[in-house]
Amino acid sequence: MNPMIGKTFKGTIDGEVRTYEIINIDNELGWITLQRHGQKSVFYLHEDIHKHFLAKIGYQRRQP
């Protein structure tokens, strides 16, 4: 299990502070699943496409 799963971070969007959590990481394809606290829906970031944003939150890529 990746140690980044369960990591939470905060971001400000439209003046509102929101908390997000990493809930799944697909090491084979590079997709990271995130969920905003208080929401049922999820969104996805890719390790290669979003590498600069992921570096800001402390994400480090792991090879399978």
Side-chain angles (χ1 to χ4, degrees), residues 6-10 16-23 34-41 43:
K7 177 179 173 67
T8 60
F9 60 94
K10 294 183 179 186
E16 180 182 342
V17 178
R18 298 177 180 174
T19 304
Y20 299 90
E21 180 180 0
I22 297 174
I23 58 172
L34 294 104
Q35 184 175 33
R36 190 171 103 189
H37 284 196
Q39 300 288 319
K40 291 183 179 180
S41 61
F43 64 97

PDB file of all heavy atoms in Angstrom, residues 6-10 16-23 34-41 43:
ATOM      1  N   GLY A   6      -4.545   8.269   1.947  1.00  0.00           N
ATOM      2  CA  GLY A   6      -5.034   8.805   3.213  1.00  0.00           C
ATOM      3  C   GLY A   6      -4.483  10.187   3.524  1.00  0.00           C
ATOM      4  O   GLY A   6      -4.949  10.835   4.460  1.00  0.00           O
ATOM      5  N   LYS A   7      -3.511  10.665   2.753  1.00  0.00           N
ATOM      6  CA  LYS A   7      -2.951  12.001   2.971  1.00  0.00           C
ATOM      7  C   LYS A   7      -4.004  13.045   2.638  1.00  0.00           C
ATOM      8  O   LYS A   7      -4.694  12.951   1.638  1.00  0.00           O
ATOM      9  CB  LYS A   7      -1.725  12.215   2.100  1.00  0.00           C
ATOM     10  CG  LYS A   7      -1.123  13.612   2.228  1.00  0.00           C
ATOM     11  CD  LYS A   7       0.097  13.757   1.375  1.00  0.00           C
ATOM     12  CE  LYS A   7       0.617  15.177   1.362  1.00  0.00           C
ATOM     13  NZ  LYS A   7       1.143  15.642   2.604  1.00  0.00           N
ATOM     14  N   THR A   8      -4.138  14.033   3.501  1.00  0.00           N
ATOM     15  CA  THR A   8      -5.082  15.118   3.266  1.00  0.00           C
ATOM     16  C   THR A   8      -4.308  16.416   3.042  1.00  0.00           C
ATOM     17  O   THR A   8      -3.191  16.585   3.534  1.00  0.00           O
ATOM     18  CB  THR A   8      -6.044  15.296   4.448  1.00  0.00           C
ATOM     19  OG1 THR A   8      -5.295  15.585   5.616  1.00  0.00           O
ATOM     20  CG2 THR A   8      -6.882  14.054   4.670  1.00  0.00           C
ATOM     21  N   PHE A   9      -4.907  17.302   2.290  1.00  0.00           N
ATOM     22  CA  PHE A   9      -4.330  18.626   2.072  1.00  0.00           C
ATOM     23  C   PHE A   9      -5.469  19.606   1.844  1.00  0.00           C
ATOM     24  O   PHE A   9      -6.587  19.216   1.525  1.00  0.00           O
ATOM     25  CB  PHE A   9      -3.351  18.623   0.895  1.00  0.00           C
ATOM     26  CG  PHE A   9      -3.950  18.212  -0.414  1.00  0.00           C
ATOM     27  CD1 PHE A   9      -4.425  19.164  -1.299  1.00  0.00           C
ATOM     28  CD2 PHE A   9      -4.038  16.874  -0.761  1.00  0.00           C
ATOM     29  CE1 PHE A   9      -4.980  18.781  -2.516  1.00  0.00           C
ATOM     30  CE2 PHE A   9      -4.592  16.483  -1.970  1.00  0.00           C
ATOM     31  CZ  PHE A   9      -5.063  17.442  -2.848  1.00  0.00           C
ATOM     32  N   LYS A  10      -5.171  20.887   2.043  1.00  0.00           N
ATOM     33  CA  LYS A  10      -6.187  21.930   1.906  1.00  0.00           C
ATOM     34  C   LYS A  10      -5.847  22.823   0.731  1.00  0.00           C
ATOM     35  O   LYS A  10      -4.681  23.088   0.449  1.00  0.00           O
ATOM     36  CB  LYS A  10      -6.279  22.759   3.177  1.00  0.00           C
ATOM     37  CG  LYS A  10      -6.793  21.964   4.353  1.00  0.00           C
ATOM     38  CD  LYS A  10      -6.950  22.805   5.579  1.00  0.00           C
ATOM     39  CE  LYS A  10      -7.494  21.924   6.702  1.00  0.00           C
ATOM     40  NZ  LYS A  10      -7.816  22.666   7.886  1.00  0.00           N
ATOM     41  N   GLU A  16     -12.946  29.812  -0.665  1.00  0.00           N
ATOM     42  CA  GLU A  16     -13.387  28.796   0.284  1.00  0.00           C
ATOM     43  C   GLU A  16     -12.288  27.753   0.466  1.00  0.00           C
ATOM     44  O   GLU A  16     -11.768  27.219  -0.508  1.00  0.00           O
ATOM     45  CB  GLU A  16     -14.653  28.119  -0.241  1.00  0.00           C
ATOM     46  CG  GLU A  16     -15.198  27.059   0.673  1.00  0.00           C
ATOM     47  CD  GLU A  16     -16.430  26.374   0.100  1.00  0.00           C
ATOM     48  OE1 GLU A  16     -17.070  26.926  -0.818  1.00  0.00           O
ATOM     49  OE2 GLU A  16     -16.737  25.265   0.564  1.00  0.00           O
ATOM     50  N   VAL A  17     -11.930  27.466   1.714  1.00  0.00           N
ATOM     51  CA  VAL A  17     -10.914  26.458   2.002  1.00  0.00           C
ATOM     52  C   VAL A  17     -11.574  25.088   1.948  1.00  0.00           C
ATOM     53  O   VAL A  17     -12.580  24.842   2.607  1.00  0.00           O
ATOM     54  CB  VAL A  17     -10.268  26.693   3.387  1.00  0.00           C
ATOM     55  CG1 VAL A  17      -9.257  25.606   3.692  1.00  0.00           C
ATOM     56  CG2 VAL A  17      -9.611  28.052   3.445  1.00  0.00           C
ATOM     57  N   ARG A  18     -10.988  24.216   1.134  1.00  0.00           N
ATOM     58  CA  ARG A  18     -11.540  22.864   0.985  1.00  0.00           C
ATOM     59  C   ARG A  18     -10.469  21.840   1.316  1.00  0.00           C
ATOM     60  O   ARG A  18      -9.289  22.052   1.056  1.00  0.00           O
ATOM     61  CB  ARG A  18     -12.018  22.647  -0.445  1.00  0.00           C
ATOM     62  CG  ARG A  18     -13.132  23.599  -0.826  1.00  0.00           C
ATOM     63  CD  ARG A  18     -13.541  23.429  -2.240  1.00  0.00           C
ATOM     64  NE  ARG A  18     -14.619  24.359  -2.566  1.00  0.00           N
ATOM     65  CZ  ARG A  18     -15.112  24.514  -3.764  1.00  0.00           C
ATOM     66  NH1 ARG A  18     -14.647  23.812  -4.767  1.00  0.00           N
ATOM     67  NH2 ARG A  18     -16.076  25.381  -3.976  1.00  0.00           N
ATOM     68  N   THR A  19     -10.887  20.720   1.887  1.00  0.00           N
ATOM     69  CA  THR A  19      -9.962  19.659   2.267  1.00  0.00           C
ATOM     70  C   THR A  19     -10.153  18.479   1.326  1.00  0.00           C
ATOM     71  O   THR A  19     -11.278  18.061   1.051  1.00  0.00           O
ATOM     72  CB  THR A  19     -10.217  19.211   3.723  1.00  0.00           C
ATOM     73  OG1 THR A  19     -10.110  20.356   4.573  1.00  0.00           O
ATOM     74  CG2 THR A  19      -9.207  18.167   4.158  1.00  0.00           C
ATOM     75  N   TYR A  20      -9.042  17.958   0.839  1.00  0.00           N
ATOM     76  CA  TYR A  20      -9.039  16.840  -0.095  1.00  0.00           C
ATOM     77  C   TYR A  20      -8.237  15.691   0.497  1.00  0.00           C
ATOM     78  O   TYR A  20      -7.334  15.901   1.300  1.00  0.00           O
ATOM     79  CB  TYR A  20      -8.419  17.250  -1.429  1.00  0.00           C
ATOM     80  CG  TYR A  20      -9.160  18.365  -2.120  1.00  0.00           C
ATOM     81  CD1 TYR A  20      -8.837  19.687  -1.885  1.00  0.00           C
ATOM     82  CD2 TYR A  20     -10.198  18.088  -2.995  1.00  0.00           C
ATOM     83  CE1 TYR A  20      -9.520  20.721  -2.511  1.00  0.00           C
ATOM     84  CE2 TYR A  20     -10.889  19.109  -3.628  1.00  0.00           C
ATOM     85  CZ  TYR A  20     -10.545  20.416  -3.378  1.00  0.00           C
ATOM     86  OH  TYR A  20     -11.231  21.428  -3.997  1.00  0.00           O
ATOM     87  N   GLU A  21      -8.569  14.475   0.069  1.00  0.00           N
ATOM     88  CA  GLU A  21      -7.866  13.285   0.535  1.00  0.00           C
ATOM     89  C   GLU A  21      -7.542  12.382  -0.645  1.00  0.00           C
ATOM     90  O   GLU A  21      -8.369  12.188  -1.532  1.00  0.00           O
ATOM     91  CB  GLU A  21      -8.737  12.525   1.531  1.00  0.00           C
ATOM     92  CG  GLU A  21      -8.096  11.264   2.064  1.00  0.00           C
ATOM     93  CD  GLU A  21      -8.982  10.527   3.046  1.00  0.00           C
ATOM     94  OE1 GLU A  21     -10.106  10.978   3.319  1.00  0.00           O
ATOM     95  OE2 GLU A  21      -8.543   9.476   3.538  1.00  0.00           O
ATOM     96  N   ILE A  22      -6.327  11.829  -0.639  1.00  0.00           N
ATOM     97  CA  ILE A  22      -5.940  10.838  -1.645  1.00  0.00           C
ATOM     98  C   ILE A  22      -6.525   9.508  -1.195  1.00  0.00           C
ATOM     99  O   ILE A  22      -6.211   9.028  -0.100  1.00  0.00           O
ATOM    100  CB  ILE A  22      -4.409  10.746  -1.775  1.00  0.00           C
ATOM    101  CG1 ILE A  22      -3.845  12.078  -2.260  1.00  0.00           C
ATOM    102  CG2 ILE A  22      -4.021   9.614  -2.718  1.00  0.00           C
ATOM    103  CD1 ILE A  22      -2.325  12.140  -2.277  1.00  0.00           C
ATOM    104  N   ILE A  23      -7.398   8.919  -2.023  1.00  0.00           N
ATOM    105  CA  ILE A  23      -8.056   7.684  -1.600  1.00  0.00           C
ATOM    106  C   ILE A  23      -7.573   6.448  -2.357  1.00  0.00           C
ATOM    107  O   ILE A  23      -7.801   5.334  -1.902  1.00  0.00           O
ATOM    108  CB  ILE A  23      -9.592   7.793  -1.683  1.00  0.00           C
ATOM    109  CG1 ILE A  23     -10.064   8.128  -3.092  1.00  0.00           C
ATOM    110  CG2 ILE A  23     -10.103   8.827  -0.700  1.00  0.00           C
ATOM    111  CD1 ILE A  23     -11.572   8.047  -3.251  1.00  0.00           C
ATOM    112  N   LEU A  34      -8.751  11.333  -5.913  1.00  0.00           N
ATOM    113  CA  LEU A  34      -8.916  12.238  -4.781  1.00  0.00           C
ATOM    114  C   LEU A  34     -10.386  12.481  -4.517  1.00  0.00           C
ATOM    115  O   LEU A  34     -11.208  12.412  -5.434  1.00  0.00           O
ATOM    116  CB  LEU A  34      -8.241  13.584  -5.072  1.00  0.00           C
ATOM    117  CG  LEU A  34      -6.734  13.517  -5.202  1.00  0.00           C
ATOM    118  CD1 LEU A  34      -6.362  13.614  -6.649  1.00  0.00           C
ATOM    119  CD2 LEU A  34      -6.113  14.614  -4.407  1.00  0.00           C
ATOM    120  N   GLN A  35     -10.692  12.796  -3.256  1.00  0.00           N
ATOM    121  CA  GLN A  35     -12.070  13.087  -2.875  1.00  0.00           C
ATOM    122  C   GLN A  35     -12.076  14.306  -1.967  1.00  0.00           C
ATOM    123  O   GLN A  35     -11.239  14.425  -1.071  1.00  0.00           O
ATOM    124  CB  GLN A  35     -12.680  11.904  -2.143  1.00  0.00           C
ATOM    125  CG  GLN A  35     -14.131  12.094  -1.788  1.00  0.00           C
ATOM    126  CD  GLN A  35     -14.731  10.841  -1.175  1.00  0.00           C
ATOM    127  OE1 GLN A  35     -14.045  10.095  -0.490  1.00  0.00           O
ATOM    128  NE2 GLN A  35     -15.997  10.625  -1.420  1.00  0.00           N
ATOM    129  N   ARG A  36     -13.010  15.202  -2.241  1.00  0.00           N
ATOM    130  CA  ARG A  36     -13.186  16.369  -1.378  1.00  0.00           C
ATOM    131  C   ARG A  36     -14.024  15.962  -0.183  1.00  0.00           C
ATOM    132  O   ARG A  36     -15.039  15.272  -0.331  1.00  0.00           O
ATOM    133  CB  ARG A  36     -13.872  17.482  -2.159  1.00  0.00           C
ATOM    134  CG  ARG A  36     -13.881  18.795  -1.405  1.00  0.00           C
ATOM    135  CD  ARG A  36     -14.375  19.880  -2.302  1.00  0.00           C
ATOM    136  NE  ARG A  36     -15.754  20.175  -1.946  1.00  0.00           N
ATOM    137  CZ  ARG A  36     -16.554  20.942  -2.632  1.00  0.00           C
ATOM    138  NH1 ARG A  36     -16.157  21.471  -3.764  1.00  0.00           N
ATOM    139  NH2 ARG A  36     -17.775  21.168  -2.221  1.00  0.00           N
ATOM    140  N   HIS A  37     -13.607  16.366   1.011  1.00  0.00           N
ATOM    141  CA  HIS A  37     -14.370  16.024   2.210  1.00  0.00           C
ATOM    142  C   HIS A  37     -15.769  16.607   2.120  1.00  0.00           C
ATOM    143  O   HIS A  37     -15.956  17.743   1.696  1.00  0.00           O
ATOM    144  CB  HIS A  37     -13.667  16.550   3.456  1.00  0.00           C
ATOM    145  CG  HIS A  37     -12.477  15.735   3.838  1.00  0.00           C
ATOM    146  ND1 HIS A  37     -11.900  15.807   5.058  1.00  0.00           N
ATOM    147  CD2 HIS A  37     -11.760  14.804   3.155  1.00  0.00           C
ATOM    148  CE1 HIS A  37     -10.886  14.975   5.129  1.00  0.00           C
ATOM    149  NE2 HIS A  37     -10.774  14.363   3.975  1.00  0.00           N
ATOM    150  N   GLY A  38     -16.756  15.802   2.468  1.00  0.00           N
ATOM    151  CA  GLY A  38     -18.148  16.225   2.406  1.00  0.00           C
ATOM    152  C   GLY A  38     -18.807  15.958   1.065  1.00  0.00           C
ATOM    153  O   GLY A  38     -19.963  16.292   0.873  1.00  0.00           O
ATOM    154  N   GLN A  39     -18.090  15.357   0.129  1.00  0.00           N
ATOM    155  CA  GLN A  39     -18.630  15.053  -1.200  1.00  0.00           C
ATOM    156  C   GLN A  39     -18.517  13.553  -1.456  1.00  0.00           C
ATOM    157  O   GLN A  39     -17.605  12.900  -0.972  1.00  0.00           O
ATOM    158  CB  GLN A  39     -17.847  15.794  -2.289  1.00  0.00           C
ATOM    159  CG  GLN A  39     -17.876  17.292  -2.161  1.00  0.00           C
ATOM    160  CD  GLN A  39     -19.232  17.857  -2.514  1.00  0.00           C
ATOM    161  OE1 GLN A  39     -19.864  17.421  -3.470  1.00  0.00           O
ATOM    162  NE2 GLN A  39     -19.691  18.821  -1.734  1.00  0.00           N
ATOM    163  N   LYS A  40     -19.444  13.015  -2.249  1.00  0.00           N
ATOM    164  CA  LYS A  40     -19.384  11.593  -2.620  1.00  0.00           C
ATOM    165  C   LYS A  40     -18.557  11.380  -3.875  1.00  0.00           C
ATOM    166  O   LYS A  40     -17.975  10.321  -4.062  1.00  0.00           O
ATOM    167  CB  LYS A  40     -20.790  11.055  -2.852  1.00  0.00           C
ATOM    168  CG  LYS A  40     -21.615  10.953  -1.604  1.00  0.00           C
ATOM    169  CD  LYS A  40     -22.972  10.347  -1.910  1.00  0.00           C
ATOM    170  CE  LYS A  40     -23.800  10.228  -0.659  1.00  0.00           C
ATOM    171  NZ  LYS A  40     -25.110   9.649  -0.917  1.00  0.00           N
ATOM    172  N   SER A  41     -18.510  12.387  -4.735  1.00  0.00           N
ATOM    173  CA  SER A  41     -17.810  12.230  -6.009  1.00  0.00           C
ATOM    174  C   SER A  41     -16.295  12.320  -5.817  1.00  0.00           C
ATOM    175  O   SER A  41     -15.800  12.833  -4.816  1.00  0.00           O
ATOM    176  CB  SER A  41     -18.275  13.298  -6.997  1.00  0.00           C
ATOM    177  OG  SER A  41     -17.993  14.577  -6.489  1.00  0.00           O
ATOM    178  N   PHE A  43     -12.336  12.805  -8.090  1.00  0.00           N
ATOM    179  CA  PHE A  43     -11.720  13.270  -9.322  1.00  0.00           C
ATOM    180  C   PHE A  43     -10.332  12.660  -9.413  1.00  0.00           C
ATOM    181  O   PHE A  43      -9.809  12.119  -8.442  1.00  0.00           O
ATOM    182  CB  PHE A  43     -11.707  14.804  -9.435  1.00  0.00           C
ATOM    183  CG  PHE A  43     -10.875  15.505  -8.395  1.00  0.00           C
ATOM    184  CD1 PHE A  43      -9.584  15.908  -8.687  1.00  0.00           C
ATOM    185  CD2 PHE A  43     -11.397  15.793  -7.154  1.00  0.00           C
ATOM    186  CE1 PHE A  43      -8.823  16.578  -7.741  1.00  0.00           C
ATOM    187  CE2 PHE A  43     -10.646  16.453  -6.209  1.00  0.00           C
ATOM    188  CZ  PHE A  43      -9.353  16.845  -6.508  1.00  0.00           C
TER     189      PHE A  43
END
